[in-house]
Amino acid sequence: MSETADTSTSPSDETLPRGLLRGEDGRVRCAWHGNRPDYLAYHDAEWGRPVDSDRRLFEKICLEGFQSGLSWLTILRKRENFRAAFAGFDFDVVAGFGEADVERLLADAGIVRHRGKIVSTINNAKRARELVAEFGSLAAYFWSFEPGPQERPERCDHASLSVLAQTPVSKMISRDLKRRGWSFVGPTTVYAFMQAMGLVNDHLEGCCVREEVEAARDAFERPGRGVSPA
């Protein structure tokens, strides 16, 4: 589930449009952080800002897979444990993990101990190396799918985003990754990844961070082009 849908515990403010929340600092933001300090910091400093680091892109796509069936806040609060367990999500290292590492990770109470997701992360590390060999970087691959303006809602509000758990582009990426042997990369997982890594700006209209993120996206130098997804 994407963060934009995670509003079940967010306090409401009847003076604001649905999906927005005024913080203790008086600033209006997307409501999903619920004024929880760690989630608020993630909303302000990370979510939606464009990323071209292969390691961060790999980390996020893997953690979105671990998040399946859970809340992103649960994963966020375990993120440092995941980084320690998976060699900082250096996929060249993780690709070499074996059965002893799987057993080590299954015994690690600091992460989500799900054998299928652990094995998937190791598999996806190997597939990530293949993508880098083919396209030069994960960033070049993922950013080639960035939706154009015509593929985005005319207005970014709660109503428009509430129906965007997956999109034609996230389905395309999911299909292509699965064809290449990746796992735990369904279209909903992929769209949450797109939101977080800045391939789209889903901060709501009226959120104090939206314009900052849009400016960052405008200034962002897109990685190499030339990917031709199937």
Side-chain angles (χ1 to χ4, degrees), residues 61-81:
I61 198 76
C62 292
L63 291 182
E64 287 292 350
F66 273 102
Q67 186 243 330
S68 179
L70 303 169
S71 74
W72 172 247
L73 184 57
T74 297
I75 302 301
L76 181 64
R77 288 175 173 170
K78 293 177 179 287
R79 186 167 62 174
E80 290 304 322
N81 297 333

Side-chain angles (χ1 to χ4, degrees), residues 149-222:
Q150 72 281 2
E151 299 172 275
R152 301 290 296 144
E154 291 186 10
R155 180 171 175 78
C156 191
D157 57 17
H158 184 272
S160 63
L161 292 190
S162 65
V163 298
L164 287 185
Q166 52 184 258
T167 66
V169 172
S170 78
K171 292 175 184 177
M172 184 186 303
I173 298 174
S174 173
R175 183 171 62 247
D176 193 59
L177 288 174
K178 289 177 180 179
R179 180 178 67 83
R180 296 174 182 277
W182 290 63
S183 54
F184 282 93
V185 285
T188 300
T189 293
V190 169
Y191 190 65
F193 165 84
M194 292 170 61
Q195 290 177 306
M197 297 288 95
L199 275 77
V200 296
N201 180 4
D202 277 354
H203 284 278
L204 298 183
E205 302 284 351
C207 171
C208 65
V209 179
R210 179 173 174 79
E211 290 188 6
E212 291 179 25
V213 168
E214 200 57 36
R217 281 176 39 80
D218 287 344
F220 180 67
E221 184 175 345
R222 270 61 175 170

Side-chain angles (χ1 to χ4, degrees), residues 32-202:
W32 51 260
H33 62 79
N35 278 328
R36 290 160 288 202
D38 48 358
Y39 221 9
L40 189 151
Y42 175 74
H43 168 276
D44 284 6
E46 293 190 52
W47 194 76
R49 297 180 185 270
V51 172
D52 61 3
S53 162
D54 278 10
R55 189 177 292 198
R56 283 194 61 202
L57 291 165
F58 180 69
E59 173 186 275
K60 183 60 174 173
I61 198 76
C62 292
L63 291 182
E64 287 292 350
F66 273 102
Q67 186 243 330
S68 179
L70 303 169
S71 74
W72 172 247
L73 184 57
T74 297
I75 302 301
L76 181 64
R77 288 175 173 170
K78 293 177 179 287
R79 186 167 62 174
E80 290 304 322
N81 297 333
F82 274 106
R83 287 171 173 169
F86 284 97
F89 288 94
D90 181 336
F91 48 83
D92 286 322
V93 175
V94 177
F97 281 10
E99 187 56 35
D101 294 290
V102 173
E103 295 303 319
R104 169 180 62 83
L105 293 163
L106 285 170
D108 189 340
I111 67 171
V112 175
R113 295 180 286 182
H114 185 290
R115 177 179 288 273
K117 294 175 182 180
I118 290 169
V119 171
S120 171
T121 299
I122 298 169
N123 167 74
N124 290 350
K126 297 173 182 176
R127 307 290 80 79
R129 295 182 70 183
E130 293 168 357
L131 274 183
V132 171
E134 185 174 353
F135 301 113
S137 68
L138 293 185
Y141 172 79
F142 283 117
W143 277 94
S144 72
F145 291 93
E146 181 185 10
Q150 72 281 2
E151 299 172 275
R152 301 290 296 144
E154 291 186 10
R155 180 171 175 78
C156 191
D157 57 17
H158 184 272
S160 63
L161 292 190
S162 65
V163 298
L164 287 185
Q166 52 184 258
T167 66
V169 172
S170 78
K171 292 175 184 177
M172 184 186 303
I173 298 174
S174 173
R175 183 171 62 247
D176 193 59
L177 288 174
K178 289 177 180 179
R179 180 178 67 83
R180 296 174 182 277
W182 290 63
S183 54
F184 282 93
V185 285
T188 300
T189 293
V190 169
Y191 190 65
F193 165 84
M194 292 170 61
Q195 290 177 306
M197 297 288 95
L199 275 77
V200 296
N201 180 4
D202 277 354

